[in-house]
Amino acid sequence: IVDDSFLVILSASDTDLSWTLPPGGWGRRWIVTLDSDDPSVDEESEVTFAAAQSVDIPSRSLLVLRSLDAQRR
């Protein structure tokens, strides 16, 4: 089975957090698929992050990212 790689970040914290994305072996670029803190952001918004980049996660939120170029293992 071959499919896209997704990363789900769920924060139950009552404070904002900084999250470091996995290294490039899991994907060199990630695009936001769902952001519960900003429902207007989706794949059409083309918000992307690089591997190992630090991402600010708002308190009590969900962020779903899809790898744009995952290296198959």
Side-chain angles (χ1 to χ4, degrees):
I1 297 175
V2 177
D3 198 356
D4 292 330
S5 293
F6 290 89
L7 176 63
V8 178
I9 303 170
L10 177 63
S11 174
S13 175
D14 60 352
T15 60
D16 297 350
L17 301 172
S18 181
W19 182 271
T20 302
L21 297 177
W26 296 100
R28 294 182 303 267
R29 300 287 307 161
W30 297 87
I31 190 166
V32 175
T33 299
L34 176 74
D35 182 349
S36 67
D37 190 57
D38 186 354
S40 69
V41 175
D42 58 18
E43 287 195 16
E44 292 180 7
S45 305
E46 297 184 359
V47 176
T48 62
F49 300 100
Q53 181 176 342
S54 181
V55 178
D56 293 327
I57 307 297
S59 62
R60 297 184 177 95
S61 65
L62 170 73
L63 184 65
V64 179
L65 306 175
R66 180 177 61 83
S67 176
L68 292 174
D69 53 2
Q71 299 173 2
R72 303 287 181 209
R73 293 181 175 254

